């Protein structure tokens, strides 16, 4: 059948593609408490990370069947939960410590960029895409995406009164995908504060993972696009720094088929929550298709489920952190 | 893992469309329609201005894990997502649709949820899908605890009609209609066909189709929305004509009763305006018998005749009163 001559461009949805590397490797995530303990702590962290970076590179090369797979590195600084220091002070320090450890940071992101980037409400748009995993018996009558701000991997405990009124019988929660026994998890996605909605760390980390996997779009356009800093010295205010800073002209693309995140083992619970969230996000179908087609074409087909594309290395906390915590 | 990326070969696509008048005194322009149908922040509302103003929301998903409706009592558990969406025609007629596709069979265990989410609008049966019994079950309507497309479509409709953009001042009263549809896969090498369109009671209509595997579920949903829209127009205008008690009522009362049809509905008739080109010809069946457009034209003609008669009698009354 011949195509129609008449077209209305507004009618045809269009998803713009983004360049993709094989692996997006996150070298660190800096919080105020890490910074406060001094540059030694950062140095310790990066020296430890260096060991695992080599392993992650080797793994990506083996998987892609290439000597030099496209790998980009990124680093995240928290400027959302607590504001500390300034880009002028902190960014050169991070870059210098990375260089000392033999590492190159290709992209540097601000955590608040996962909330709003270039005036686009990323966290909110991901929230609209949550499709809760239905416990058995869900036939469409449950209200859609919880208005409670919590997301679980199963059915919560529902206190029910027994026939004899006063006694409340306890019902255990149940993980939907349990194997014999449940590991039930309930994740707080946001809380309401005087200053508005405060997104939780796991939720923002899920947005961050989606950005690194090249699966975020706004009206079909890429979001959180890396921008270089051309203004000389880094600014004194975090808001003046682009949400995602490109630091290396010759770097592989920021987004990738897979992610690998290197972090201290205290983040294990947070990242488990991130996977729970990723497993319940209905991502842009066009973006998903583009990644599937291109990765298959390169012979490195990605897992169908998005959460499976994120991998981690959890390493032992540097010793001086524990010492400083004790003092 | 490879399984999750494999495209689903669906053998059955089912849905339910709910159609109603937008509860707003003024019809919405394109901008307002886009605002109403913005179900997701980062996604486009499709807005078309030719050949008529038509807006369609992005698709949203509802996760389900329950028994599929079956006509023979077979108990089949299905897991996956039901797609739903809304459309607004000429800023006046609101429709919501919930639909899903199902493959011939599925694994006997529930898989990680993320694997269902990458196949939006697909519900997988545990084991083998009783195709005809499920199609019939959907058309009959869900029983307690079974997958209920009507409830999902209604949920979206209720959410939309409560939107603050709407003043709840519908220009006239009319009923909602429900259209349930089931499309089984057409035999290899055969094109799409419309097998049955049934007008049941209480505003319920059912449609049975056959479509080749290559036709996307969303295109079938689009055809059924178009059928539902035009069936609703016929039903509503017929109702207005009946209520006007043509001939029996006195002149001005009849004109008043017919006016909503003229103001809000007569310009909406435009079969297959936004139907996928591969399915547009299925309308031909309905045009042959019972002849949807033929009936519509007759209704429109009756309304125009009536208004013309009233206008003439008013001028003749007016002129005769001045001559005496």
């Amino acid at each position: 059948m011949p195509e129609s001559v008449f077209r209305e461009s507004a009618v045809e949805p269009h998803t713009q593609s983004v360049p993709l590397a094989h692996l997006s490797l996150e070298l660190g995530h800096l919080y105020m408490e890490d910074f406060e303990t001094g540059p030694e702590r950062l140095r310790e962290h990066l020296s430890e990370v260096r060991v695992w970076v080599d392993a992650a590179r080797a793994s990506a090369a083996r998987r892609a069947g290439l000597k030099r797979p496209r790998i980009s590195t990124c680093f995240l600084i928290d400027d959302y939960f607590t504001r500390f220091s300034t880009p002028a002070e902190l960014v050169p320090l991070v870059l210098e410590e990375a260089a000392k450890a033999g590492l190159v940071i290709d992209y540097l992101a601000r955590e608040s960029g996962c909330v709003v980037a270039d005036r686009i409400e990323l966290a909110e748009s991901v929230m609209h895409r949550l499709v809760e995993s239905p416990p058995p018996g869900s036939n469409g009558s449950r209200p859609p995406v919880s208005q409670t701000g919590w997301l679980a991997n199963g059915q919560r405990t529902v206190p029910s009164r027994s026939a004899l009124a006063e006694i409340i019988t306890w019902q255990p929660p149940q993980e939907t995908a349990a194997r014999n026994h449940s590991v039930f998890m309930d994740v707080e996605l946001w809380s309401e504060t005087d200053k508005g909605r405060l997104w939780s760390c796991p939720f923002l980390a899920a947005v961050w993972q989606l950005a690194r996997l090249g699966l975020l779009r706004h009206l079909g356009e890429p979001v959180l696009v890396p921008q270089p800093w051309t203004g000389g010295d880094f600014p004194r205010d975090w808001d003046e720094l682009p949400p995602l800073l490109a630091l290396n002209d010759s770097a592989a693309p920021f987004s990738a088929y897979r992610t690998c995140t290197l972090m201290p083992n205290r983040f294990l619970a947070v990242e488990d929550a991130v996977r729970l969230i990723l497993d319940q996000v209905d991502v842009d179908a066009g973006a998903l298709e583009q990644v599937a087609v291109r990765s298959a074409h390169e012979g490195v087909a990605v897992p169908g489920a998005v959460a499976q594309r994120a991998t981690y290395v959890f390493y032992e906390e540097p010793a001086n952190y524990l010492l400083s915590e004790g003092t | 893992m490879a399984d999750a990326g494999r495209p689903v070969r669906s053998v059955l696509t089912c849905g339910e469309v709910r159609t109603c008048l937008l509860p707003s005194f003024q019809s919405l322009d394109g901008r307002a329609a886009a605002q109403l149908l913005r179900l997701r922040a980062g996604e486009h509302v499709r807005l078309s201005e030719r050949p008529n103003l038509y807006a369609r929301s992005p698709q949203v998903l509802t996760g389900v894990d329950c028994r599929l409706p079956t006509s023979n009592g077979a108990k089949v558990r299905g897991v996956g997502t039901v797609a739903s969406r809304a459309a607004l025609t000429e800023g006046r007629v609101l429709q919501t649709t919930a639909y899903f596709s199902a493959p011939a069979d599925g694994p006997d265990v529930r898989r990680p949820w993320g694997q269902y989410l990458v196949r939006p609008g697909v519900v997988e049966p545990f084991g083998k899908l009783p195709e005809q019994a499920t199609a019939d079950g959907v058309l009959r309507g869900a029983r307690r605890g079974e997958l209920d497309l009507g409830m999902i479509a209604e949920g979206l409709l209720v959410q939309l009609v409560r939107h603050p953009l709407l003043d709840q001042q519908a220009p006239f009263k009319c009923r909602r209609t429900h259209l349930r549809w089931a499309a089984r896969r057409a035999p290899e090498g055969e094109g799409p066909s419309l097998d049955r369109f049934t007008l049941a009671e209480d505003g319920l209509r059912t449609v049975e189709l056959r479509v080749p595997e290559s036709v996307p579920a969303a295109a079938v949903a689009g055809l059924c929305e178009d059928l539902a829209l035009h069936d609703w127009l016929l039903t509503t205008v017929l109702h207005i004509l009946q209520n006007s008690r043509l001939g029996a009522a006195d002149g001005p009362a009849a004109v008043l009763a017919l006016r909503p049809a003229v103001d809000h509905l007569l310009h909406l008739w435009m079969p297959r305006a936004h139907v996928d080109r591969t399915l547009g010809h299925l309308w031909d069946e309905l045009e042959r018998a019972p002849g949807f457009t033929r009936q519509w034209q007759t209704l429109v003609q009756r309304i125009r005749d009536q208004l013309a008669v009233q206008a003439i009698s008013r001028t003749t009354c007016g002129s005769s009163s001045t001559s005496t």
Side-chain angles (χ1 to χ4, degrees):
Chain A
M1 189 168 292
E3 280 289 302
S4 170
V5 177
F6 177 73
R7 300 194 94 132
E8 273 181 288
S9 60
V11 180
E12 288 146 35
H14 165 80
T15 304
Q16 208 183 312
S17 65
V18 296
L20 292 163
H22 287 102
L23 183 71
S24 158
L25 190 55
E26 182 179 329
L27 304 179
H29 189 152
L30 196 69
Y31 286 97
M32 185 177 69
E33 61 261 35
D34 305 310
F35 174 71
E36 279 180 332
T37 46
E40 302 77 26
R41 149 106 186 115
L42 182 62
R43 196 170 304 153
E44 262 302 302
H45 167 91
L46 290 168
S47 322
E48 179 73 14
V49 156
R50 172 59 206 264
V51 177
W52 300 109
V53 165
D54 292 341
R57 283 184 183 278
S59 158
R62 190 194 63 82
R63 204 180 269 280
L66 295 169
K67 266 199 177 146
R68 293 171 58 86
R70 301 187 304 278
I71 298 176
S72 65
T73 59
C74 56
F75 195 90
L76 192 64
I77 293 178
D78 171 38
D79 69 330
Y80 180 69
F81 295 105
T82 37
R83 285 263 163 135
F84 59 97
S85 186
T86 65
E89 184 186 8
L90 195 59
V91 177
L93 175 81
V94 169
L95 296 183
E96 189 188 330
E97 290 300 332
K100 279 185 192 161
L103 296 167
V104 176
I105 295 173
D106 298 327
Y107 301 96
L108 188 132
R110 295 193 282 121
E111 182 125 13
S112 61
C114 297
V115 181
V116 181
D118 306 318
R119 289 196 294 280
I120 298 163
E121 308 259 351
L122 295 187
E124 170 129 354
S125 112
V126 171
M127 183 198 76
H128 284 185
R129 292 182 162 278
L130 289 174
V131 178
E132 281 173 286
S133 163
S138 309
N139 67 339
S141 57
R142 270 159 60 100
V145 177
S146 68
Q147 271 119 49
T148 56
W150 288 79
L151 191 66
N153 65 348
Q155 225 158 354
R156 301 180 174 97
T157 301
V158 186
S160 57
R161 285 180 184 278
S162 76
L164 290 170
E166 298 310 308
I167 310 154
I168 294 174
T169 50
W170 183 78
Q171 291 289 325
Q174 201 167 17
E175 180 192 1
T176 300
R179 293 196 176 181
N180 299 324
H181 300 94
S182 286
V183 181
F184 179 77
M185 184 160 47
D186 210 347
V187 180
E188 190 171 18
L189 306 179
W190 67 79
S191 55
E192 299 297 349
T193 70
D194 303 342
K195 293 175 195 153
R197 183 167 286 185
L198 183 73
W199 298 97
S200 73
C201 173
F203 192 74
L204 294 184
V207 176
W208 173 236
Q209 285 285 351
L210 291 173
R212 291 168 65 200
L213 288 167
L215 296 173
L216 284 187
R217 298 289 187 282
H218 177 75
L219 302 178
E221 301 286 328
V223 292
L224 212 66
V225 178
Q227 295 161 41
W229 178 255
T230 49
D233 285 345
F234 289 107
R236 318 258 346 141
D237 186 352
W238 288 105
D239 290 328
E240 286 172 35
L241 198 69
L244 180 61
L245 190 62
L247 292 163
N248 174 7
D249 293 339
S250 54
F254 166 69
S255 297
Y257 299 138
R258 289 178 169 79
T259 67
C260 179
T261 304
L262 311 174
M263 47 181 31
N265 50 16
R266 71 187 148 113
F267 287 107
L268 209 147
V270 171
E271 295 302 326
D272 205 9
V274 170
R275 288 169 63 90
L276 181 148
I277 297 167
L278 287 178
D279 210 35
Q280 305 187 47
V281 179
D282 168 31
V283 300
D284 186 287
L288 206 58
E289 175 75 12
Q290 286 162 2
V291 170
V293 168
R294 278 158 59 188
S295 61
H297 185 72
E298 286 198 71
V300 284
V302 294
V306 173
Q308 297 296 330
R309 302 176 191 182
T311 60
Y312 297 89
V313 173
F314 293 100
Y315 57 84
E316 189 189 321
E317 202 78 23
N320 69 344
Y321 173 74
L322 296 173
L323 279 177
S324 69
E325 208 176 31
T327 53
Chain B
M1 276 307 109
D3 183 51
R6 181 174 55 93
V8 181
R9 302 194 60 190
S10 74
V11 293
L12 177 69
T13 304
C14 307
E16 180 159 340
V17 190
R18 305 232 155 168
T19 307
C20 74
L21 187 75
L22 192 74
S24 158
F25 191 71
Q26 299 282 346
S27 61
L28 299 191
D29 60 14
R31 225 185 133 94
Q35 208 181 327
L36 173 72
L37 300 184
R38 189 166 292 125
L39 300 180
R40 278 179 166 173
E43 254 189 283
H44 273 296
V45 171
R46 297 174 65 158
L47 200 59
S48 178
E49 295 175 355
R50 303 276 187 279
N52 59 3
L53 182 63
Y54 173 82
R56 189 200 287 161
S57 76
Q59 173 180 289
V60 289
L61 302 178
T62 305
V64 293
D65 177 347
C66 58
R67 281 201 326 277
L68 298 176
T70 50
S71 58
N72 61 2
K75 289 196 167 66
V76 185
R77 180 174 163 195
V79 183
T81 56
V82 172
S84 47
R85 65 187 196 183
L88 187 66
T89 303
E90 287 290 357
R92 190 33 90 194
V93 187
L94 180 65
Q95 297 185 286
T96 57
T97 304
Y99 65 97
F100 71 90
S101 298
D105 50 40
D108 278 327
V109 288
R110 182 167 153 156
R111 302 186 289 126
W113 183 239
Q115 294 185 20
Y116 295 100
L117 272 190
V118 293
R119 299 163 162 188
V122 172
V123 174
E124 281 185 354
F126 272 48
K128 202 171 157 2
L129 180 79
E131 293 173 34
Q132 192 59 52
T134 308
D136 293 342
V138 167
L139 297 178
R140 181 209 61 203
R143 298 219 165 95
R144 196 180 160 79
E146 291 176 340
L147 174 53
D148 194 337
L149 293 171
M151 190 160 56
I152 296 172
E154 184 69 23
L156 181 54
L157 196 72
V158 166
Q159 178 196 330
L160 288 170
V161 298
R162 285 184 188 156
H163 196 285
L165 262 178
L166 307 176
D167 56 21
Q168 305 303 328
Q169 308 288 319
F172 59 96
K173 275 189 185 165
C174 62
R175 294 180 63 181
R176 285 179 191 178
T177 57
H178 318 171
L179 183 141
R180 295 189 190 130
W181 52 273
R184 295 190 61 189
R185 193 202 289 170
E188 208 71 42
E190 283 185 23
S193 63
L194 181 68
D195 294 346
R196 190 162 293 154
F197 187 110
T198 309
L199 213 63
E201 288 167 356
D202 295 330
L204 174 68
R205 286 88 179 86
T206 59
V207 174
E208 290 167 65
L209 310 109
R210 293 239 175 209
V211 291
E213 201 181 342
S214 58
V215 176
V220 186
L223 169 76
C224 294
E225 283 161 0
D226 198 45
L227 295 175
L229 170 71
H230 291 88
D231 170 75
W232 179 86
L233 281 172
L234 273 177
T235 308
T236 306
V237 170
L238 204 57
H239 188 71
I240 290 175
L241 257 176
Q242 281 164 352
N243 280 2
S244 77
R245 297 186 295 134
L246 263 193
D250 61 350
V255 171
L256 215 59
L258 293 175
R259 192 153 170 178
V262 178
D263 286 348
H264 302 284
L265 303 177
L266 293 194
H267 61 291
L268 299 184
W269 192 264
M270 215 173 279
R272 42 192 141 190
H274 302 281
V275 174
D276 191 277
R277 287 163 67 84
T278 53
L279 297 175
H281 67 278
L282 296 188
W283 256 98
D284 297 345
E285 277 309 315
L286 294 174
E287 295 295 27
R288 259 196 295 281
F292 269 38
T293 299
R294 184 168 53 194
Q295 187 179 5
W296 176 258
Q297 281 165 349
T298 310
L299 290 175
V300 170
Q301 201 51 52
R302 282 186 71 194
I303 291 173
R304 292 204 173 128
D305 288 348
Q306 184 64 24
L307 295 180
V309 167
Q310 295 302 336
I312 293 166
S313 63
R314 210 181 309 165
T315 39
T316 44
C317 287
S319 55
S320 60
S321 63
T322 46
S323 66
T324 52

